[in-house]
Amino acid sequence: MRNRRAAEKARAMLELALLGFWAGLLALGLKRPFLWVMAYIYIDLFAPQRIGWAILPSIPLSLITFAAAFGGWLVLDNKQGSRFTLRQGLILALLLYCALSLLWADFPLEAREKWAWVWKALVFAMFLPLTLTTRLRFEAIVLTFVLAVGVIAIDGGIKTVLGGGGYGTLSFFGVSDNSGIYEGSIVSTAAICIIPLILWLAKHGTVFPPDWRVRVFAGALIFSCLLIPVGTQARTGLLCIAVLGTLMLRSVRHRFLYMGFVGVALMVAVPFLPQSFTARMETIKDHQGDQSASTRLAIWKWTFDYAKDNPLGGGFNAYLGNSVDFQTKSIVSDGTSTTVETQEVSDKGRAYHSSYFEMLGEQGWIGLSLWLTLQGLGLWQMERIRRRWKASQDERGQWYASLATALQHSQAVYLVGAAFVGIAFQPFMFVIVGLQCGLWSLCRAEMRPSRGGRALRTGLPPDAPSLSR
């Protein structure tokens, strides 16, 4: 009884602390309206209202903070340097198309439930670049983004080290509904996505100037992020780690030393991994031996066939109408003989388990095309910036190139994770999209000729390719 009372008291104190922190951010924003933009990212990603149990769930924190962020920029903030880019136009087109899809949704009520948070993610992604007019603001948003996801990773990492992990059992801050960013595969993807941005902050940050304390914290935070796929036993997270490790070969100075360090780290880490984790990872090799993987393939086939008959999609949560039959195979051994058993499985209303098929099933070929174009342009634009400034000896040029590389790597990790989990509209990805739009806009403005006809100083040779093409 005493332990229960102590737990309830601790939870109540945590709720009051979260409420006070939110109220403090709103108060500080009266002097610096940009703080409300940061506050919305914190609220949208960390979702303190899901952690609270009495006061916070009854307050529309997200809507209030969203209104404050947009209203503060509209009324109080300086608009100089704000620009609307092509990708923001694509987000607007996707927003309008998603709104139209409510008219023909297979499940109107369920579609409106998802629309209630999707529209905010899309609108904020369009709005965020308008506020990113200085390098300090970029850093502040990246820092807020990293810490909002990072605090979840720290909580999960500690529990994993203490033996509290497991497939579908690792909880973060007592959130038990296993949805949104607190779902195992989603948080694993998000945790690996922020690693490039952690490294960027540790090298180029000015809010917390890089020193040994910042580097130690960055290393510990990266370690916590790497532990999340172990604690959740999400195979998606393991693939994201592999992709990120490969991408980092592009930017490290000493590649052979890096590969050797990674190899040694793997040799040291594998013996300490839980047996349940290694057993689950082995199912990647044979999808028929795992019902979850077999279900995904069956759902993907159903979605493709559905899109043939419904090219405009079935609206949000159209997966509720699916019904699939598939086979699973397992090897059974009694010590003297080995047999392969086949089992017929039927399932209904299973989620897409892929952002690509989520877009195809819900928004049809038009929605999928808009989403893929949005993602593809992001990779291309960040590559243009990276190549444009990677040879620069100027500190500003290095800042541009390194941030573009970090954002590109984060997006690439997301796109790999998105192939195996339905996160097409997750807010954490649209923060990355907003940062990319803002950086592209800032770089294009810097490369435009000044009034005197001379290009702004970039520390580059005059024959370097232009971003304005």
Side-chain angles (χ1 to χ4, degrees), residues 169-380:
T169 62
L170 182 64
S171 65
F172 304 88
F173 295 103
V175 177
S176 58
D177 59 358
N178 197 37
S179 63
I181 199 170
Y182 288 97
E183 191 274 330
S185 295
I186 297 177
V187 72
S188 295
T189 303
I192 306 305
C193 276
I194 68 171
I195 290 179
L197 297 172
I198 297 172
L199 294 170
W200 180 80
L201 286 169
K203 184 176 182 180
H204 295 278
T206 58
V207 175
F208 298 101
D211 59 15
W212 69 270
R213 292 167 296 182
V214 170
R215 287 190 287 271
V216 168
F217 179 79
L221 182 54
I222 290 173
F223 182 64
S224 295
C225 291
L226 293 173
L227 283 175
I228 295 302
V230 178
T232 60
Q233 297 186 5
R235 293 165 296 193
T236 302
L238 182 65
L239 293 174
C240 290
I241 292 174
V243 170
L244 179 59
T246 304
L247 288 173
M248 289 183 65
L249 285 170
R250 304 173 67 211
S251 54
V252 296
R253 287 186 178 181
H254 307 288
R255 295 182 180 179
F256 289 105
L257 182 62
Y258 167 77
M259 289 189 290
F261 174 78
V262 171
V264 172
L266 287 173
M267 292 173 59
V268 173
V270 168
F272 293 95
L273 294 175
Q275 185 177 0
S276 58
F277 172 80
T278 55
R280 181 163 173 78
M281 296 306 109
E282 288 177 356
T283 61
I284 294 177
K285 297 182 293 185
D286 181 16
H287 72 274
Q288 289 185 321
D290 179 72
Q291 182 170 329
S292 176
S294 298
T295 304
R296 293 185 184 196
L297 293 178
I299 293 299
W300 296 349
K301 183 180 183 301
W302 176 90
T303 305
F304 187 78
D305 292 337
Y306 176 83
K308 291 180 180 178
D309 300 326
N310 302 271
L312 297 180
F316 292 122
N317 292 326
Y319 72 87
L320 294 172
N322 66 43
S323 177
V324 295
D325 299 311
F326 56 93
Q327 292 181 341
T328 60
K329 295 181 180 180
S330 59
I331 299 176
V332 179
S333 177
D334 59 2
T336 58
S337 61
T338 300
T339 59
V340 178
E341 292 187 355
T342 301
Q343 182 179 4
E344 298 287 341
V345 180
S346 298
D347 211 341
K348 294 182 179 181
R350 289 298 298 266
Y352 296 103
H353 292 294
S354 170
S355 298
Y356 304 94
F357 286 96
E358 175 189 5
M359 289 301 305
L360 179 60
E362 293 185 348
Q363 308 305 324
W365 296 103
I366 295 177
L368 177 62
S369 298
L370 288 171
W371 188 82
L372 288 176
T373 304
L374 177 68
Q375 301 295 339
L377 271 177
L379 294 173
W380 178 81

Side-chain angles (χ1 to χ4, degrees), residues 18-50:
L18 292 172
L19 180 62
F21 181 69
W22 172 71
L25 286 176
L26 290 186
L28 290 172
L30 294 172
K31 187 174 183 180
R32 294 286 187 271
F34 184 73
L35 286 174
W36 289 334
V37 179
M38 298 167 58
Y40 180 74
I41 293 176
Y42 156 72
I43 292 294
D44 207 32
L45 297 183
F46 181 60
Q49 62 272 26
R50 298 178 63 182

